[in-house]
Amino acid sequence: MDRRNKVVLVTGASSGIGRGLAVELARRGASVGLLARRRNLLAETVDHICEAGGRALALPADVTDADAMRAAAYKLRREFGPIDLLIANAGISVNTFVPDLCEKKIAQLINVNVIGVVNSVSAVLRQMVDQGNGHLVVNSSLAAYRGLPKSAAYCASKAAISSFFEALRIDLKGSGVDVTIIYPGFVKTPLITNIIRTPYIMEVDQAVQKIVRAIEKRKKGYSFPWQLATIARACKLLPIPMYDWIAARNSFRG
Amino acid sequence: MDWSNKVVLITGASSGIGRGLALELARRGANLGLLARGVESSQLAAVAGSAALLSRTAMEPSPRLLEVVDQIRRETDSGSKAGSQRTMALAADVRDAKSVRTAADRLRDEFGRIDVLIANAGIGATTDATELDPEEVARVLNVNVMGAVNSVAAVLPEMVERGSGQLVALSSLSAFF
């Protein structure tokens, strides 16, 4: 699929996979709206894209603010036209320890990772359905497959958005709006700084190439790298006691 | 299993499965903390006059929850094996971490410990993809996800310290798909 003239909104675009996707899609000819809270980082990336001859717009906003998200989508439409593709990528990660759960931190994570995605979808979906085409992409995680040690909140948030998008995929059948769920493993981004074991870790550029390919093929779901994806799928089939035994001995977090 | 020396905290206990679990566990002799959203104790405030300032924001158990407690009392009084079974109604909103913690503390103060948490409180909603309402989704997640997190957070430190306890979550088959 030709990305030329496509209008793309990427959330969490100031760093990591979001930034990589924005730069790559702009390079392939898309007009990209980069959304994140950190204004200066956005400006840097937008400059970088424009210098290379691409079209990009910085949209400083917080995904947890539904009104700000709507306003940002409006601004992008006014600048570049109707939005063809949303990449709901913004996400954070925290360690969850027992027994002191620190529910404020968990609420904040659910707010960014789940409500943030919902706000992003809500800001663009009406227009996509009205025009009869569009594409919703969410950056989930292989952590959505099963609960992982010390990652209760993160896994819960990724399982939540995966199910949310799966339900939307069914509801949107026939509307012309496609839905893609991306399940990455470990990618070298700021998100994984508090993770100590990162098997099959990938460079951002490599992950970005894989994700772009999945988006262009309009895949319904895409898990990578294949080694960790295979392990995650196998874990889903394990009986609970066996899974618990293995998971407890293979914690990714300290 | 002997329930008679157990203290069980059930959230969303005023109706449905929560209520059903409360009635059944009471029959089996468990001591219960039944948690559900409260109603503002406005009547109390009106009567108490000068005490109104203090009690204005106080919540008291909803009539529906008190009905469950009443039914348990009637059943245990009519000479079942439940014997010394005790039930406590707790007004709290699972979305509010502090109110759940306060309720759990009150239950512990009264019964000494909490052996089992049944995180049952939940709501359902129809999500229309094309008319997506972020506020509605946030409301569901707040009750169904953060409600469970807040309930676990309120009981877990004591359980881990004691070295025993049981956490039960009422999920749904819809989680499997």
Side-chain angles (χ1 to χ4, degrees), chain A residues 101 103 114-115 119 122 125-126, chain B residues 97 101 129-130 134 141 150 152:
Chain A
L101 283 182
E103 63 273 14
V114 186
I115 306 293
N119 290 339
S122 181
L125 188 55
R126 183 102 281 259
Chain B
R101 225 182 266 277
T130 58
L141 281 162
N150 292 336
V152 170

Side-chain angles (χ1 to χ4, degrees), chain B residues 6-174:
Chain B
K6 296 263 189 251
V7 180
V8 185
L9 173 61
I10 305 175
T11 70
S14 63
S15 65
I17 294 176
R19 175 178 176 276
L21 283 169
L23 295 173
E24 181 56 27
L25 293 180
R27 272 174 219 131
R28 294 174 184 228
N31 298 303
L32 300 176
L34 304 184
L35 189 149
R37 254 176 314 173
V39 290
E40 249 173 82
S41 47
S42 50
Q43 273 178 320
L44 193 73
V47 175
S50 60
L53 274 175
L54 284 173
S55 54
R56 187 179 294 157
T57 54
M59 299 295 266
E60 57 184 30
S62 68
R64 268 208 307 188
L65 183 60
L66 291 174
E67 227 169 80
V68 179
V69 176
D70 256 8
Q71 190 174 344
I72 290 172
R73 297 243 160 89
R74 275 199 306 278
E75 284 189 15
T76 50
D77 282 349
S78 62
S80 73
K81 63 171 180 175
S84 58
Q85 191 276 340
R86 292 200 294 167
T87 305
M88 192 172 174
L90 301 162
D93 188 332
V94 290
R95 293 174 296 185
D96 176 3
K98 228 171 78 187
S99 85
V100 181
R101 225 182 266 277
T102 309
D105 286 344
R106 278 187 57 209
L107 183 63
R108 267 191 295 264
D109 285 348
E110 202 69 30
F111 295 171
R113 55 197 269 166
I114 298 172
D115 298 289
V116 184
L117 164 72
I118 303 182
N120 162 76
I123 55 174
T126 307
T127 308
D128 183 346
T130 58
E131 297 285 353
L132 199 58
D133 177 2
E135 268 175 30
E136 173 76 2
V137 179
R139 204 172 64 87
V140 173
L141 281 162
N142 242 332
V143 177
N144 293 8
V145 181
M146 285 317 297
V149 172
N150 292 336
S151 307
V152 170
V155 303
L156 195 53
E158 182 228 341
M159 287 183 179
V160 170
E161 200 179 311
R162 195 177 56 234
S164 76
Q166 187 172 13
L167 303 173
V168 181
L170 272 280
S171 181
S172 160
L173 267 183
S174 64

Side-chain angles (χ1 to χ4, degrees), chain A residues 158-201:
Chain A
K158 292 302 181 182
I161 52 171
S162 304
S163 291
F164 188 84
F165 264 61
E166 186 151 85
L168 288 185
R169 186 179 72 221
I170 299 162
D171 288 338
L172 291 170
K173 195 167 172 11
S175 71
V177 180
D178 291 322
V179 174
T180 299
I181 309 171
I182 307 287
Y183 303 88
F186 296 108
V187 181
K188 278 188 195 162
T189 71
L191 188 96
I192 62 161
T193 43
N194 50 7
I195 293 172
I196 53 159
R197 287 181 57 245
T198 52
Y200 309 109
I201 190 164

Side-chain angles (χ1 to χ4, degrees), chain A:
Chain A
M1 191 184 61
D2 189 6
R3 287 257 130 254
R4 207 161 301 279
N5 300 324
K6 294 275 178 191
V7 178
V8 183
L9 174 59
V10 184
T11 72
S14 60
S15 66
I17 297 174
R19 181 183 183 280
L21 284 170
V23 171
E24 178 60 19
L25 292 175
R27 197 183 67 79
R28 294 183 183 216
S31 305
V32 184
L34 293 89
L35 191 144
R37 282 171 306 176
R38 292 175 290 181
R39 209 173 276 270
N40 49 342
L41 286 178
L42 280 186
E44 256 170 51
T45 307
V46 167
D47 285 350
H48 171 72
I49 290 173
C50 292
E51 275 164 27
R55 292 221 300 168
L57 178 67
L59 300 164
D62 186 335
V63 290
T64 63
D65 181 346
D67 293 332
M69 291 304 290
R70 237 181 272 275
Y74 175 76
K75 207 170 143 195
L76 180 61
R77 273 194 291 268
R78 213 184 39 198
E79 200 73 26
F80 292 154
I83 299 166
D84 300 290
L85 169 62
L86 164 73
I87 303 178
N89 162 79
I92 57 173
S93 167
V94 297
N95 290 341
T96 309
F97 296 112
V98 292
D100 295 309
L101 283 182
C102 198
E103 63 273 14
K104 269 208 189 105
K105 243 166 59 179
I106 299 179
Q108 169 65 6
L109 180 136
I110 296 285
N111 211 5
V112 175
N113 289 13
V114 186
I115 306 293
V117 167
V118 174
N119 290 339
S120 309
V121 172
S122 181
V124 303
L125 188 55
R126 183 102 281 259
Q127 170 239 308
M128 286 184 181
V129 169
D130 283 348
Q131 76 192 20
N133 69 69
H135 193 176
L136 304 173
V137 177
V138 68
N139 201 2
S140 180
S141 165
L142 288 177
Y145 278 57
R146 280 198 94 148
L148 295 167
K150 297 175 184 130
S151 312
Y154 185 73
C155 292
S157 74
K158 292 302 181 182
I161 52 171
S162 304
S163 291
F164 188 84
F165 264 61
E166 186 151 85
L168 288 185
R169 186 179 72 221
I170 299 162
D171 288 338
L172 291 170
K173 195 167 172 11
S175 71
V177 180
D178 291 322
V179 174
T180 299
I181 309 171
I182 307 287
Y183 303 88
F186 296 108
V187 181
K188 278 188 195 162
T189 71
L191 188 96
I192 62 161
T193 43
N194 50 7
I195 293 172
I196 53 159
R197 287 181 57 245
T198 52
Y200 309 109
I201 190 164
M202 277 183 137
E203 296 294 334
V204 172
D205 290 343
Q206 207 181 348
V208 163
Q209 291 303 327
K210 286 183 175 296
I211 294 171
V212 169
R213 206 175 313 139
I215 292 173
E216 291 188 335
K217 285 185 182 163
R218 297 203 165 225
K219 276 180 171 266
K220 291 181 166 54
Y222 178 59
S223 308
F224 70 94
W226 67 267
Q227 299 95 327
L228 203 59
T230 306
I231 293 169
R233 282 194 203 97
C235 281
K236 230 180 153 168
L237 301 174
L238 291 179
I240 291 171
M242 204 184 286
Y243 172 70
D244 286 6
W245 192 87
I246 293 169
R249 278 159 188 76
N250 291 280
S251 176
F252 298 124
R253 296 187 193 254

